[in-house]
Amino acid sequence: TRRLWLRWPTAKDIPAIVTLAGDRAVAEMTAHIPHPLDRREVDAFLIKVREVNSAGTGLTLALARRECPGGLVGLIGIAGQQAAPHLGYWLGRPWWGNGLMSEAANALVHAFFAYTGGERLTVGALPENRASQRVIEKVGFRWAERRATPSPARGGPRQLDWYALERADWAGRQMAA
């Protein structure tokens, strides 16, 4: 993107993931990141991400500022089977409020619709996470429903607002741009 490198995460990113995603303020704005975040969980997560990326059944990318491509400021990915692909992301607190996640989300959503046969993409956000909701809305997702989602990191289900973006709506936005 204009300000970011989107690249595969590596073992060198583990300390930054533990620090940034493990930040209580970041973890509490997600349904799945535990606090405190254990390095072993990050190790296992990265092994799974590499397997999924390699198999082509999903794609998780590290976000790095263009001036520091080896650094890490967050993660973004699309996971799930073809029938229900799901966008997920987090951004380290030092980079909140700069539009970086909107930039990354636009790029990954564009790649999803431009290069796959996917017809629908979903994303969830906690009702109290207005920053994430703004990212979701900027990319063109529409609110679909509020429902409980399993949250092992929180000891039980959490309410999430779910949004969806259909291929036809994405294509219409591309034509208008």
Side-chain angles (χ1 to χ4, degrees):
T1 71
R2 185 173 59 82
R3 298 180 294 165
L4 296 169
W5 288 106
L6 280 65
R7 59 170 176 77
W8 280 30
T10 69
K12 290 180 181 177
D13 294 319
I14 292 171
I17 294 171
V18 170
T19 300
L20 296 171
D23 178 338
R24 180 181 292 278
V26 173
E28 287 181 348
M29 286 295 122
T30 74
H32 302 292
I33 298 174
H35 180 79
L37 180 57
D38 184 85
R39 182 191 167 108
R40 290 176 301 226
E41 292 178 77
V42 175
D43 290 340
F45 169 77
L46 281 185
I47 289 168
K48 181 180 175 187
V49 161
R50 300 287 292 191
E51 290 171 359
V52 168
N53 284 1
S54 293
T57 56
L59 181 61
T60 296
L61 299 169
L63 308 180
R65 293 174 296 135
R66 286 185 74 70
E67 64 271 13
C68 185
L72 179 129
V73 300
L75 289 177
I76 189 167
I78 295 177
Q81 299 303 317
Q82 283 293 82
H86 172 79
L87 177 69
Y89 53 80
W90 62 264
L91 186 67
R93 188 166 27 158
W95 296 278
W96 287 2
N98 294 304
L100 293 176
M101 190 51 72
S102 295
E103 191 172 314
N106 266 315
L108 192 56
V109 167
H110 177 81
F112 173 79
F113 285 114
Y115 303 115
T116 75
E119 290 296 323
R120 184 174 202 251
L121 189 59
T122 62
V123 63
L126 296 171
E128 62 271 21
N129 191 343
R130 285 297 307 144
S132 187
Q133 292 168 9
R134 282 192 302 277
V135 167
I136 290 165
E137 291 163 0
K138 283 181 193 176
V139 175
F141 286 84
R142 294 187 186 163
W143 187 85
E145 66 180 322
R146 179 172 288 173
R147 69 174 187 257
T149 300
S151 181
R154 305 287 177 267
R158 287 187 84 176
Q159 293 292 316
L160 282 181
D161 285 333
W162 286 92
Y163 300 78
L165 180 58
E166 307 293 334
R167 175 180 285 283
D169 293 333
W170 170 80
R173 288 175 60 89
Q174 298 306 301
M175 297 285 287

